Structure formats: C-alpha cells, structure tokens
Amino acid sequence: MNFEELVTANEINQEKGIQLPYGCFVRKYDDKKCFYIVKLRVDLLSDNAFVGGLEAECNNLPALNSDFQIKFMCLKSDSGQEIFRLERGHYNIISQMLNENPSLIAQKDWLRNIIKSTASALQFLHQHHVWQVCLSPDCVFIGKGKQTVKLLSHGSYYLNMDNLSRLYMGEHADFVAPEVLSHSSAVDERCDVYSFGKFIEWLFKNTTVPYEYRKVIEKATKEDASERYASIDEMVSCMSALVRRVETVKKAAIALAVSLLIVLGYFELVPQTEIVEYVDPGKKEAFDDLLDKGFDETTEFGVLVNDSSVQLSPEEIKQMKDFERKATEIFKKRYRSEATQILEKVYGEDLNTDQKSFVSKMSSATEELLKKQIELANISGLTPSQSQKVAAEIIEDVTNELKQKTKTNN
C-alpha cells in the first residue's frame, strides 16, 4: 500500500466514526487541523419530540459551563446534514481507550479518577436539574491532560419522545434505567444512579469486581428505582465509606498476619518441650463474607480496653499479655541492634567535632531511628504509643553506653 492509499484508507476509517445514540462521532481535518463533529441520525430528525429537545438543549447549553461539559454548535454540513460541531479540544472515548490499552484498568489511581470525575460531572448536571440518562462507554469522553470525564449531550432533553428505544438502541440500552425506556414512572436523578452503576460494572468487565464496588453496583442497579440510592451524592458517599473500610480491614489483616508470623518465628527459635498436637483447621471464611456479616475492623483485631461489653476469661487475658510481652521483647532486641548502628555514626571515637557537623549527624540519625521504629513496630504488632515508649528507653540507654565508651577510649 502506497502513501496515498494509506491516507485514503485512514480517511475512510475516520468517516466511519463511533456510533452514539443520537449520531456518529467523527474526527475531521480542516487545513491540517483536527476537529470533531457528530453526524445526527436522519431518522431521529423526523421526530418532532427529538427536534424540540435538541433546540432546548442548544438554548440551555450556555448555562452548563463546566469542564465536564463539551460545548457544541448545531449546524448544517455542506451536504445539508444536521451536525454537532464540538468545541476545539482533544477527546478520547473511554471504550476506545480501554480497547487500545486494557492495562489502564489495573492502575488504581486511573480507575478511581475516572469514577470520581464521572460522579462530579453527574453532580454538576443534577444541580441544573439535567440528567445524563445514558452512560454507555461509547458516550463518555476523556479530555487530554488530567483525564477529566466530559459529557456531550444529555438524555433528559429527549424524555418526551414516545419511543425512547429508538434513541437508545443495541448496547446503549443496557446503560439506561428501565423506567426511562418503559415510561412506567417519573424519571429523576435515580436514572443516572442506575446508569452510573452499570458504567462502573462495565469498567471491571475483564476482571473481578472488588467488594466495595460490587456492593454499590448491586444497589445502584436495582430494577425498582425506589430501592436505589436516592442521589449520586448518597451513592458516592457510600462508595467512599466502603473503600475506606475495606482498606482499613486489609491493613489490619496484614498487620495481624505479619505479627503472628513474627511471634511464631520467635517460638521456632526457642527450644520447646511440650508435645504439639495437629488440629485440622476449620473452613476458611472468605474476606467478602466477613464484611457482609458486619465485620468491624475496630474490634475484630483486638480488644478495646474501655469497652465494658468485652468479657475475657483469665486464660485469654494471660495469652494477650504473653503475646504483648513476646512482641515487646522482639521489638527491643531488633531495635537496639538498629539503634546502635545508627547512633554509632554520631557518637564515634571522637566527639570533638564542630557543632554544625554534630547537629547534622544527629538530625539524620533521628530520621533513621523514627523510620526503624515505625517499621519494626508494624512487624512486631506493637501500637505507636507502645513502640515509642520502648524506643525512647533504648535510645537513651544506647546513647549513654556509646558516650561512656567514647570517653573511656579517649
């Protein structure tokens, strides 16, 4: 294929564009500058309700002044066809982006930014009593740079159409709430709660939906609108709370697991005389099941000292104290070794250094000591207050030893 044939083929592919509910999104070139248009569907232009909604949207467009909104003009092309001409900018469609680079979904920050940005766009529209209605991935645009979600045309302007199935056909219909297509009840922002839930579900189509998002999707996509979240604000609030809760539980679980491994490792190093009987472990309970049963990370990984409802047997209290004692011993032993190595850099053989040099060394040593304290506390299972108290005692002890050693050598 020569260069001219390649250019011609490229232009044909660009003319095919991407099918939106109301038309075809196409990239065009004018004097080597790129711009975007949407060729409106001819069959919809014969529907008076659609044309009326289009006029209303064009008239109200100036009021929707936001980074989440793509401005456009409704024009006639040279061929006489009605088109949207989009404002200057660079726009990707999210379905295209993920088809070209599926690994994006594995980037937690990218995914959260898309969800957060989409929610912000919907919240902005709802402040102006406008509903998006359809968040099909072919209808969600991504701006260049900060990857901000941008929306083009809004479905609430076209709700007066007798048959909305003509507007939302094929896969687009999967992202539209049932009450919209059936005209069975009044439509409000809960239609966007439904569509947003379906959009989030689509984002995870090639992977397992995490617990925190799955629980939100389940409620957001209820067939009965009254069983969904009442608003996008409520949906986002619930989603954020679940994300924080899951992250807290995971961190607590990891900390506990590491602590147990350290203690078990300690016991392995100490000679044992008692006979150990093997007990077949019970069935492991899934992480999601724990959360579904109201698992509370603030109480499941320890005892709240001031909680009068917690009743422990003397044996359980003894076991807890033994665990804390062993963990403290492990922390002391390892932290003393690390503190000695760090402080030896400050209290070397000669203390007759200038004040500036000594202060610099001490500042650096303090940062290292704090870093090691946090690191070893996490490993041993000690709380910040417990580790801080022990670390302070060890630092004072080691410092005095090194000072005395230096004086003796001098």
Side-chain angles (χ1 to χ4, degrees):
M1 181 182 290
N2 59 34
F3 178 75
E4 290 184 0
E5 290 172 334
L6 182 64
V7 171
T8 302
N10 189 39
E11 289 178 348
I12 292 173
N13 288 331
Q14 290 168 3
E15 286 293 331
K16 290 180 180 178
I18 293 180
Q19 192 63 46
L20 309 179
Y22 38 84
C24 186
F25 177 77
V26 180
R27 181 173 59 184
K28 304 282 287 184
Y29 287 94
D30 181 13
D31 193 22
K32 297 183 179 180
K33 292 183 179 179
C34 174
F35 65 96
Y36 300 90
I37 66 169
V38 175
K39 296 180 179 180
L40 296 177
R41 286 167 47 191
V42 176
D43 63 306
L44 292 177
L45 294 173
S46 61
D47 188 318
N48 292 332
F50 177 83
V51 173
L54 181 61
E55 291 177 355
E57 182 167 21
C58 290
N59 292 334
N60 293 334
L61 192 59
L64 300 178
N65 187 19
S66 165
D67 289 340
F68 303 114
Q69 172 71 42
I70 301 178
K71 301 293 191 302
F72 63 87
M73 293 184 294
C74 193
L75 307 169
K76 283 188 180 293
S77 65
D78 295 338
S79 61
Q81 184 179 8
E82 295 279 352
I83 63 170
F84 288 162
R85 175 147 182 173
L86 278 56
E87 63 180 329
R88 288 283 182 183
H90 182 88
Y91 309 111
N92 287 319
I93 293 180
I94 195 167
S95 59
Q96 275 188 321
M97 288 183 66
L98 286 179
N99 283 336
E100 294 171 0
N101 187 8
S103 64
L104 284 172
I105 203 66
Q107 300 176 19
K108 185 168 63 175
D109 291 342
W110 182 88
L111 178 67
R112 288 189 177 180
N113 177 65
I114 293 299
I115 292 175
K116 180 180 178 181
S117 185
T118 305
S120 298
L122 294 174
Q123 288 168 326
F124 169 78
L125 290 178
H126 293 180
Q127 290 171 2
H128 294 79
H129 304 288
V130 175
W131 327 131
Q132 182 63 23
V133 179
C134 180
L135 279 173
S136 165
D138 287 342
C139 303
V140 178
F141 296 81
I142 307 295
K144 192 176 182 181
K146 293 185 178 181
Q147 301 286 291
T148 303
V149 166
K150 293 180 177 289
L151 302 176
L152 178 56
S153 186
H154 315 303
S156 58
Y157 290 105
Y158 308 99
L159 293 176
N160 290 330
M161 291 178 63
D162 293 332
N163 183 8
L164 282 167
S165 295
R166 287 185 60 201
L167 179 59
Y168 302 109
M169 298 188 299
E171 294 183 356
H172 297 305
D174 297 337
F175 296 85
V176 180
E179 67 271 16
V180 174
L181 296 175
S182 64
H183 287 293
S184 58
S185 61
V187 175
D188 56 26
E189 63 185 285
R190 287 175 296 184
C191 73
D192 280 352
V193 169
Y194 180 93
S195 193
F196 190 23
K198 286 291 186 181
F199 176 69
I200 296 174
E201 185 178 40
W202 176 87
L203 287 173
F204 292 100
K205 67 175 183 175
N206 293 323
T207 186
T208 302
V209 183
Y211 170 87
E212 57 270 37
Y213 294 112
R214 187 174 74 247
K215 300 303 290 184
V216 170
I217 291 169
E218 286 176 2
K219 183 170 182 178
T221 56
K222 294 286 187 183
E223 292 290 315
D224 187 346
S226 64
E227 296 179 3
R228 301 174 202 150
Y229 297 103
S231 65
I232 294 293
D233 290 342
E234 182 185 347
M235 182 178 175
V236 170
S237 177
C238 182
M239 191 186 312
S240 299
L242 279 169
V243 168
R244 289 194 301 270
R245 179 183 173 192
V246 168
E247 288 183 346
T248 301
V249 172
K250 286 181 178 178
K251 288 178 181 177
I254 292 170
L256 179 63
V258 171
S259 300
L260 290 174
L261 287 173
I262 293 297
V263 174
L264 289 173
Y266 175 85
F267 289 141
E268 286 292 330
L269 296 175
V270 178
Q272 302 292 319
T273 58
E274 64 270 23
I275 299 174
V276 179
E277 180 183 355
Y278 174 75
V279 179
D280 187 24
K283 181 180 179 182
K284 183 179 178 182
E285 193 162 19
F287 174 72
D288 287 358
D289 294 337
L290 288 173
L291 292 167
D292 286 330
K293 292 178 181 178
F295 181 86
D296 187 353
E297 70 280 2
T298 62
T299 59
E300 293 292 344
F301 288 113
V303 178
L304 300 180
V305 177
N306 297 323
D307 191 347
S308 61
S309 65
V310 177
Q311 299 294 330
L312 295 178
S313 67
E315 183 63 27
E316 289 173 328
I317 293 174
K318 181 177 180 299
Q319 289 176 356
M320 286 183 60
K321 289 182 177 179
D322 287 342
F323 175 85
E324 184 177 333
R325 179 174 58 80
K326 296 293 185 184
T328 303
E329 288 175 2
I330 294 170
F331 177 82
K332 281 183 176 180
K333 183 177 180 180
R334 299 191 62 180
Y335 190 73
R336 175 175 284 275
S337 174
E338 296 288 351
T340 301
Q341 293 181 31
I342 293 170
L343 291 171
E344 280 179 343
K345 302 174 186 176
V346 180
Y347 300 98
E349 294 182 359
D350 184 10
L351 285 176
N352 297 322
T353 56
D354 61 277
Q355 183 178 0
K356 183 178 180 182
S357 177
F358 179 81
V359 170
S360 176
K361 288 181 180 180
M362 198 63 207
S363 176
S364 177
T366 302
E367 291 182 7
E368 286 188 69
L369 288 167
L370 179 58
K371 182 179 178 181
K372 285 297 179 182
Q373 176 197 324
I374 295 172
E375 177 185 330
L376 295 176
N378 288 335
I379 292 174
S380 62
L382 293 182
T383 65
S385 59
Q386 290 172 327
S387 65
Q388 184 177 3
K389 181 180 178 181
V390 176
E393 293 174 354
I394 292 174
I395 291 171
E396 182 178 3
D397 191 21
V398 171
T399 299
N400 290 334
E401 287 180 3
L402 291 173
K403 284 181 178 178
Q404 188 63 37
K405 182 179 178 181
T406 303
K407 288 179 181 178
T408 303
N409 292 337
N410 291 335

